[in-house]
Structures are given as structure tokens and as C-alpha cells.
Amino acid sequence: MKVFKFGGASVKDARSVRNVAKVLGLQRQESILVVVSAMGKTTNALEQVVGSLLEGTEIHSKIKEIERYHLEIAKELFEPSHALFSELELLFKMLYDFTLDEDKGGYDFYYDQIVSFGELLSSRILSAHLKQADFQNEWLDARLYIRTDSTYREGEVNWELTKSRIESLDTSQNYVTQGFIGGDAQQLSVTLGREGSDYSAAIFAYGLKAESMTIWKDVPGVMTGDPRKFENVTLLSHIAYEEAIEMAYYGASIIHPKTLQPLKKKGIALYVKSFVNPLAPGTLVSSSPKAQTLESYILKEDQILLTVCTRDFSFIAEHHLSEIFGLLSAYQIRISLMQTTAICLELCLEDKYLTIEKLISALEAKFDIEIQKGVRLLTVRNSTLESTERFYANKTVLLEQMSRGTLQMVFQGEL
Ligand code: ASP
Ligand code: MG
């Protein structure tokens, strides 16, 4: 059994959906579980619906727009009498009904119940189209298989339950299911974090002990840098799980960071391939001594550089660090780089949940704070240390670090 993941860009219009059928048609006779993300930018559009709902502003036209987009794709793919249209109608009715209901919970709860419709819609359309294109498959509700706790927007997988649910699947059959979503004990939708469909695919691959998992992208595979940002990048044909984990950790957005662990545990090979050029080899991620370690570049935008200094000129000591880290954890702020000097702690941070102002007020009670927003973090993996000067050109470097072949710099300016 193989697991294939198709992201939002690979199903953004009718032509792309047909292309998925083409990619599947090229495979050997082997059963495949297909995990699909919401179409195009649907997740962002649904996030807007959640925002408006909680602000009490108009949502009807926003949902109508999402409906129109999906129906347009469906009309290009199916005869008007196709049963899919009533399935879509039912899904949109459920979405409308949900938004009319009495207040039931906070933002994160609403977010998951609403945003999960993106994947429910895309998977219905894809499943029906694939059947039509002679790729027989069963549509699965991922929420019944990926079982999580009720941490809305960042669901924690219950591995035991999830594994036993997925093991009940018939591995001689093809399936189409949703990425990004799971279900909790109350049968409610729980999302796994933005861009979480890769992770969903890895969870299914793990439970199925799949032969391999493939992420189909609009790029040739994992490159030594994002070709939109870096010049002279090349394709990595084979990298180790550890290298991919490191790259994802430093911000290479090509693979969701949580994806690698379950695959590595079961030794499942991961391929990253192009859906535009499906016969090209792409990148293999596995454990093998043959794996490459080439110099690669990762840029993280929109970072915050925070300098926290003791007020009384005392050294930054363990109890200070423990207090600062406690606050970072409480406000869910992620550290991308840190360094200490005698009396200061330098932190490069990511403010994913927009809680930085709260953190600063808490810290200001005890420390002197300096903050620089909108800085960038460049990470060079496997730096050969040859001609590193070129990384410093056109930049004001605010903080830098070199450890075990990884060069990192927080900077302002051009790449
Ligand atoms: N549709 C979700 C998102 O855009 C999940 C994913 O694409 O992986 O974040
Ligand atoms: Mg997406």
C-alpha cells in the first residue's frame, strides 16, 4: 500500500483535478490511499468566515463565494445529474447551519468546525472524479481514523486509537481522504495545524505500514533552497530523515515538520515529486548511508529579535532563563535562535499566535527589553565554510551563530 498526498495547489481547478487522475493512472497496480488538502486558497477563505462570524460581520457572501468556486470546478468535471452535486449541497447546508447555531465555544473550536469543510469538499470532488476516471476508491472520513484530543487547531494525535482504527482498513483497496483534520471523542472536527496534510498522510502511512509515501508538489522535489528566493539551487535526489527534519525545523516549508517522525519510526520511504512531471524521480527521503548532505539555504521571514537584559547588571542566570522560557511557553511563542551574553539573552522569535505584546509586558516587569520586528533569519545547512562572506553582503547582521556546520544569521536587508 502506498500513501499519496496532494496539496491545495494540485487541486486548485478542474484541470488540476484531472491531472491528479493522470498521476494516479501512471502508477503500477497497487492500492493507494490518497490524502488531499482543501482546494487552492480555500483554507484562507474559510479562516475569513470564522473571523467574520466571531466579529458578527456578514458571512453569507463569503460562504457563497467558496460555494461558487467549488461548484464551478464540479460543473467542469461532472454531468449536472451527478450525485456529487447533492453531496456538495449537503455539505454547504451543514456549514450554513453550523454558523447559525448558538454560541458553543471559543475561536479555536469554531475554527476547526468551519475550516475542516475545505478538506471535506475537496475530497468529495476528488473521489468522485477519480471514480469517473476509472480509479476505483472509497471516500473515507479522516475524522473517524485520525483520533485526537480536543486541542482545537493543534490536535494531539491519540496514536493507540488512531493506529487501531487505520489498521482496520482493507489494504487491497484504494481510498481518498482528507488531510489536516482528525476527530475527538465528541465526534467533533479537530485540525492538526496549518499545512498539516503532510502530517495526516504520514499518520496514515504509519498505521498502514505503507511501502512509501509521496508528496506531490509543483516543484521538482526538495531543493537546496527555495528557487523563488535563492539562485543556483539544485535538486536533492536523496536525503536522510534527519536532514529533512532539520530543514523543516529551520523553516523549509516543503515538508511539514511533524511529518518525518512517524515515517522514520517505521522506516517508510518518503518521496517528494512533481505533479507536473510525475515520471521524474524527485527526492527520496530515507535512512541510507548514500544520502546527500549538500549545502542548503533556508530563509524565515517575519521574525522578531528580542533582547532581554537584567536590570541590576547581574548575570543572566538559570532562574532568569527558566522564568523567560516559562513565559515563552505560556504564550506559545517559538524560538528560532538564541544566544546569551553576560547580562542579556538574545532571542529570535516567531509570533505565530500574536501574543508577543503580552510577553513583553510580562517581561518588562523585571527586565530591560529591546525589540526589533520584521527581521529575517537565514540558515545555511552543511555549510562548507568556503566563501561565507557572500552571505554577509547587503545585510545588517544582528545576530549570528555557527554550530556543527549550520550557519545562522538574523539580519535586515536583502538576501
Ligand atoms: N488546507 C490546510 C492548509 O492550507 C492544510 C494543508 O494544506 O496542508 O493549511
Ligand atoms: Mg493548503
Side-chain angles (χ1 to χ4, degrees), residues 1-6 24 27 30-36 126 130 135-142 145-146 165-167 169-179 197-208 210-216:
M1 184 115 198
K2 291 182 173 175
V3 174
F4 280 10
K5 181 259 175 173
F6 290 92
L24 287 164
Q27 307 307 314
E30 201 163 354
S31 42
I32 296 174
L33 180 135
V34 177
V35 171
V36 67
L126 183 64
L130 293 178
F135 178 85
Q136 290 318 314
N137 68 85
E138 187 184 320
W139 180 89
L140 283 189
D141 187 336
Y145 293 87
I146 297 187
R165 290 291 298 135
I166 294 175
E167 278 170 355
L169 291 170
D170 171 4
T171 53
S172 65
Q173 207 182 305
N174 300 315
Y175 295 97
V176 173
T177 193
Q178 310 81 44
S197 296
D198 292 358
Y199 183 39
S200 300
I203 297 167
F204 276 105
Y206 178 92
L208 291 165
E211 177 195 324
S212 66
M213 163 174 156
T214 305
I215 300 178
W216 295 92

Side-chain angles (χ1 to χ4, degrees), residues 29-271:
Q29 292 303 313
E30 201 163 354
S31 42
I32 296 174
L33 180 135
V34 177
V35 171
V36 67
S37 301
M39 296 178 137
K41 303 267 177 256
T42 302
T43 303
N44 293 356
L46 287 164
E47 281 185 346
Q48 302 271 320
V49 172
V50 184
S52 297
L53 181 67
L54 295 188
E55 278 164 19
T57 54
E58 207 269 327
I59 58 165
H60 194 82
S61 64
K62 289 197 169 83
I63 299 180
K64 262 276 160 270
E65 181 55 32
I66 297 170
E67 192 170 357
R68 195 195 53 76
Y69 168 63
H70 285 86
L71 284 179
E72 214 158 84
I73 294 174
K75 279 178 193 156
E76 266 191 64
L77 295 169
F78 305 96
E79 291 294 325
S81 59
H82 198 288
L84 174 79
F85 288 99
S86 43
E87 284 170 9
L88 297 183
E89 196 181 312
L90 183 65
L91 282 171
F92 278 105
K93 185 179 179 314
M94 284 162 67
L95 176 55
Y96 275 117
D97 288 351
F98 180 81
T99 62
L100 297 176
D101 268 9
E102 296 283 292
D103 189 4
K104 281 176 292 202
Y107 179 85
D108 293 350
F109 167 79
Y110 274 101
Y111 182 101
D112 282 6
Q113 307 323 306
I114 291 176
V115 171
S116 51
F117 276 91
E119 270 71 10
L120 294 172
L121 291 161
S122 65
S123 59
R124 281 286 182 199
I125 295 174
L126 183 64
S127 169
H129 175 69
L130 293 178
K131 276 183 194 157
Q132 199 169 256
D134 271 344
F135 178 85
Q136 290 318 314
N137 68 85
E138 187 184 320
W139 180 89
L140 283 189
D141 187 336
R143 297 170 298 183
L144 303 177
Y145 293 87
I146 297 187
R147 309 296 302 169
T148 68
D149 67 1
S150 302
T151 315
Y152 299 112
R153 289 188 74 193
E154 203 73 63
E156 191 72 49
V157 174
N158 177 333
W159 284 96
E160 199 125 324
L161 212 54
T162 299
K163 202 168 144 272
S164 79
R165 290 291 298 135
I166 294 175
E167 278 170 355
S168 72
L169 291 170
D170 171 4
T171 53
S172 65
Q173 207 182 305
N174 300 315
Y175 295 97
V176 173
T177 193
Q178 310 81 44
F180 186 48
I181 64 175
D184 66 8
Q186 292 102 61
Q187 313 303 331
L188 292 162
S189 305
V190 182
T191 66
L192 305 172
R194 280 305 303 260
E195 307 304 326
S197 296
D198 292 358
Y199 183 39
S200 300
I203 297 167
F204 276 105
Y206 178 92
L208 291 165
K209 298 189 192 71
E211 177 195 324
S212 66
M213 163 174 156
T214 305
I215 300 178
W216 295 92
K217 309 265 311 179
D218 53 1
V219 290
V222 182
M223 318 280 289
T224 54
D226 183 340
R228 288 164 299 187
K229 297 175 184 163
F230 297 91
E231 286 167 12
N232 303 324
V233 290
T234 54
L235 178 73
L236 288 157
S237 56
H238 187 181
I239 53 174
Y241 294 117
E242 291 77 6
E243 181 64 15
I245 289 171
E246 294 283 344
M247 289 175 78
Y249 175 79
Y250 290 118
S253 56
I254 187 134
I255 303 169
H256 187 276
K258 284 184 177 170
T259 309
L260 280 313
Q261 280 91 340
L263 299 180
K264 181 174 183 254
K265 247 192 211 161
K266 286 262 190 293
I268 299 167
L270 169 67
Y271 293 91

